[in-house]
Amino acid sequence: MSKLYVVGIGPGDLDHMTFQANEALDAADAVVGYKTYLDLIAPLIAGKEIVSSGMMKEVERCREALDLAASGKTVALVSSGDAGIYGMAGLALELAAELVAPPEIVVVPGVSAVQAAAAVLGAPLMHDFTVISLSDLLTPWDLIERRLVAAATADFVVALYNPRSKGRVQQIEEARQILLSARPADTPVGIVRNALREGEERIVTTLGRMLDHPIDMFSLVIVGNSATFVDPAGRMVTPRGYKAGTRDQGPGTGEKQKNSADEHIADSPSRVLNSRSPVPGPRSLMVVGTASDVGKSVLTAGICRILKNRGLRVAPFKSQNMALNSAVTPEGGEIGRAQAVQAAACGIPPHTDMNPILLKPSSDTGSQVIVAGEVVGNMSVREYHAYKPMAFERVRESFDRLSSAHDVVVIEGAGSIAEINLKAHDIANLKVAEMAGCRAILVADIDRGGVFAQIIGTLELLEPAERERIAGIVINKFRGDASLLTPGIKFVEKRTGVPVLGVVPCFSGFRIPEEDSVALEKRGSGTGDRGPGEKIKIGVVKLPRISNYTDFDALEAEPDVRLTYVEGADQLRGLDLLIIPGSKATTTDLYFLMERGLFEAIRAFQGPIVGICGGYQMLGKRVSDPHAVESRIREAEGLGLLDVVTVMLEKKTTHQARAELLPAGYQVAPRCRGELEGYEIHMGETILGPSVRPFARATERSGRMVEVLDGAVSCDGRVFGTYLHGIFDNAGFRSAFLNKLRRAKGLVERPAAEAQDDPFDLLAAHLEKHLDMERLLAVCGLAR
């Protein structure tokens, strides 16, 4: 019977070919293979019939080998490495299954490329590992990405085949980014070229530096796991655990030694993290809700301040936040604004560990994903679900660091805990409470109606183990006589067995910044209209993707300001000032202005106009997005009110910043005194034309001294834009800017507002008055 050997010839050096492979080649009448591989074994196949072909001819080679075998010849079809690992064995068997009388097929194993590279590097594959090819010629890249995410999350050692070719240069960069999102930058990485054959090259580097070295199709890359280390001789070692004391391997095996597996496991946060279940000791509590916008963020801030006032070191935490209102940490990381507000309530600087995952919606079905303060990319819902296991590992790591550095962590949930269609993918609610080993307080909003149905319905939809985590209920945003709720509260407690810990009335006289544009939807048409007298009428364009609208909280707090959110051209009439706010998708929102008739109306508006961040970009002549970082719209015409053009960049700029006004800025805010403070969050770079002047000069960014021009002012001073979020929080600037409007309107000028009572202390006092705090803290293990 005819016979086809499918032979793995190993790495290419004849010394590393198996005895069986040598025998198969010796027995063959004809040898079929890729020319480069046949050249490697030329001494062994001299005098035989040779059939060679180039790259991308695998199917043709297989058919030729099968045809030769069917004609009665003994044939060897060769692959480098092992024929069954990215080799010819699978294809040969597939094609043979189509034949009426296929030849006998014998698969001859060989030393695989990953084995060869591992031997050159030391012992990086001593524990569980995975092999992934980065070639997307036969496998869709989105599938390769999902496999990379899964491998990274599971802490496998990862071997990368086909890492880079002349035509494929981005895949290795994207693979590194995925791995970096789950592993530290100092994770050992080995790069081996021409393993165990002539021209062998070996590099041991780190995940952070691996792209500094040459990588091509003749290279194989091995990325270590959380326990992999580099020994004094420069070899990669992934311990299997023999020295961890779980087995008796002989005298001395349980002792600690320099560079031992024990040290590396102990030093690795992810390994320490995975060894515990769950966090011992209920030194945290979670605030969850029956729905979005029930007041979780504000109550969390209030509880944080209460605990701080009791002498505890407290930190806020929200694993995953979906919000367009964001803030910048002192180190330049981006987090949800609610967690920055809660950090202020704790009296500590904000940190990315307080909100490790931030989602900023960029469309109805996708979001920009920010992990540990940095953008990892834009993902669809499906892509993000695949990414969530990796994201949750970052959540665990962040929580561990916070809980080890503070006495208490107050955790905020997201939306409703009873979304049964989302629970399978939950990384923001009761799965976090389980991870933290804590209990939760359920918040319901009576202002929206049906509060008792909210509470009972939510608890009924929970699994028994989930209900067990609910330690108490808070009814929030009440107006009226709380005693009227007594029958309902008794019913809830009897029906659910969960105590109601208090009824919190709506508060007045102070304000805590709101989390997101969910709250903006309920704003009336005069949110800052307090007291009698004529007002400065300010309109803020209500963009679909409005971001950081808390920029205008300080304006709303002014007693002579009437601030409205503009949705139509007719609302521009009578305004003293028009503001175009930040946007998550500048080009998309420019088209929104055109569709609503606002584009031409804004152009025709004769009063002062201010643009903040994305609004500043819209005021220019053109916005280009060549890399589609914000939307698929690559270019949009701007309003043309400032002589500037903006180009979106792939790298986001995020800084806490200080700045000083330039002469054109003083034209906007005459007699302004003092340095400006704020923060920058933007993707673009704006270039000024000759007919505008810069607004300010940034003097400090993320703690570093700089000299960077910011913003632009029209020649007449009527229109200005800036990248500085929070500019109106600067009392001196706000007063000078508004006084210019007051003078134009014939109103009395006002001095800069005096410092008010700390709103967090007022909030804490409000909660202490209406909640049974001792009981609340006791049921959560946080009694005095």
Side-chain angles (χ1 to χ4, degrees), residues 122-288:
L125 306 183
M126 279 291 293
H127 215 306
D128 299 336
F129 69 94
T130 184
V131 176
I132 300 175
S133 170
L134 298 188
S135 173
D136 56 0
L137 296 174
L138 301 175
T139 307
W141 179 248
D142 62 343
L143 178 56
I144 296 172
E145 278 186 322
R146 291 201 297 275
R147 290 171 177 170
L148 284 165
V149 168
T153 303
D155 200 33
F156 283 116
V157 174
V158 181
L160 301 175
Y161 273 63
N162 305 315
R164 176 183 274 160
S165 68
K166 290 181 180 179
R168 290 185 302 101
V169 297
Q170 297 295 324
Q171 283 85 341
I172 185 66
E173 297 173 9
E174 294 180 28
R176 171 182 168 272
Q177 193 60 43
I178 290 171
L179 290 162
L180 265 177
S181 67
R183 302 183 186 188
D186 60 358
T187 300
V189 171
I191 304 168
V192 181
R193 191 174 189 275
N194 294 320
L196 301 183
R197 63 175 183 252
E198 186 178 354
E200 176 186 291
E201 298 174 11
R202 168 187 176 274
I203 295 168
V204 175
T205 181
T206 64
L207 189 56
R209 301 290 303 274
M210 62 180 275
L211 296 182
D212 296 346
H213 304 282
I215 299 174
D216 61 15
M217 282 293 286
F218 294 98
S219 305
L220 193 139
V221 179
I222 296 180
V223 181
N225 69 8
S226 62
T228 304
F229 66 95
V230 179
D231 73 5
R235 295 170 296 211
M236 285 177 66
V237 181
T238 301
R240 192 176 177 193
Y242 292 119
K243 295 184 69 178
T246 56
R247 297 184 179 91
D248 184 4
Q249 295 292 326
T253 56
E255 296 178 2
K256 287 277 188 182
Q257 299 178 13
K258 187 175 181 180
N259 288 317
S260 70
D262 307 75
E263 286 182 337
H264 283 271
I265 292 173
D267 289 342
S268 168
S270 59
R271 291 301 291 262
V272 172
L273 175 68
N274 293 336
S275 70
R276 64 152 177 83
S277 172
V279 176
R283 298 297 292 172
S284 54
L285 70 93
M286 189 168 193
V287 179
V288 297

Side-chain angles (χ1 to χ4, degrees), residues 273-433:
L273 175 68
N274 293 336
S275 70
R276 64 152 177 83
S277 172
V279 176
R283 298 297 292 172
S284 54
L285 70 93
M286 189 168 193
V287 179
V288 297
T290 57
S292 297
D293 194 39
V294 297
K296 297 186 296 293
S297 296
V298 172
L299 286 176
T300 298
I303 293 171
C304 284
R305 176 52 63 94
I306 289 170
L307 295 175
K308 175 185 180 295
N309 289 346
R310 296 187 180 200
L312 292 167
R313 296 175 303 160
V314 58
F317 181 74
K318 185 166 184 174
S319 60
Q320 173 189 281
N321 201 343
M322 178 174 281
L324 289 175
N325 268 353
S326 57
V328 177
T329 68
E331 298 78 21
E334 188 176 2
I335 63 173
R337 171 147 294 276
Q339 281 61 64
V341 170
Q342 291 158 3
C346 297
I348 58 177
H351 191 277
T352 55
D353 279 341
M354 297 172 184
N355 176 209
I357 311 295
L358 174 61
L359 307 178
K360 301 188 79 170
S362 53
S363 68
D364 291 341
T365 58
S367 295
Q368 184 183 73
V369 180
I370 297 166
V371 178
E374 295 187 0
V375 176
V376 298
N378 291 300
M379 298 187 191
S380 66
V381 174
R382 184 183 299 273
E383 289 168 335
Y384 183 61
H385 279 334
Y387 181 77
K388 273 187 175 180
M390 180 186 296
F392 196 61
E393 288 305 308
R394 303 305 295 271
V395 167
R396 287 180 183 273
E397 292 168 8
S398 291
F399 179 81
D400 261 17
R401 287 190 288 267
L402 280 182
S403 61
S404 65
H406 297 86
D407 298 321
V408 186
V409 178
V410 184
I411 307 167
E412 182 190 341
S416 165
I417 56 171
E419 299 289 353
I420 54 178
N421 56 312
L422 301 178
K423 279 204 287 184
H425 301 283
D426 172 36
I427 65 169
N429 280 312
L430 292 177
K431 184 175 180 180
V432 178

Side-chain angles (χ1 to χ4, degrees), residues 7 29 296 413 532 585 713 773-774:
V7 182
D29 302 312
K296 297 186 296 293
V713 183
M773 284 303 305
E774 296 304 321

Side-chain angles (χ1 to χ4, degrees), residues 490-624:
K490 289 182 177 179
F491 177 85
V492 165
E493 290 182 329
K494 182 177 180 181
R495 172 71 177 261
T496 66
V498 181
V500 175
L501 302 175
V503 177
V504 179
C506 293
F507 51 78
S508 60
F510 65 95
R511 181 174 176 181
I512 305 297
E514 294 163 309
E515 179 181 16
D516 202 3
S517 51
V518 173
L520 182 61
E521 294 301 319
K522 301 193 297 184
R523 294 285 183 90
S525 64
T527 55
D529 191 359
R530 301 187 319 282
E534 189 160 3
K535 309 295 181 185
I536 299 173
K537 298 174 183 176
I538 299 176
V540 178
V541 179
K542 193 174 180 181
L543 300 169
R545 295 157 190 86
I546 187 171
S547 65
N548 294 75
Y549 72 90
T550 48
D551 283 341
F552 318 117
D553 286 355
L555 294 175
E556 292 186 41
E558 291 283 341
D560 63 344
V561 166
R562 183 175 187 271
L563 189 142
T564 62
Y565 283 86
V566 172
E567 299 183 75
D570 59 321
Q571 294 176 277
L572 271 59
R573 287 193 296 272
L575 291 180
D576 300 307
L577 172 68
L578 179 63
I579 300 176
I580 306 178
S583 167
K584 180 60 193 69
T586 304
T587 52
T588 305
D589 277 351
L590 268 171
Y591 277 88
F592 164 80
L593 296 181
M594 297 176 191
E595 292 165 0
R596 286 294 181 93
L598 279 165
F599 191 87
E600 292 300 331
I602 294 171
R603 278 181 163 178
F605 183 74
Q606 295 301 303
I609 301 177
V610 179
I612 309 292
C613 197
Y616 166 38
Q617 296 171 343
M618 293 183 197
L619 288 173
K621 293 181 174 179
R622 185 175 68 256
V623 180
S624 299

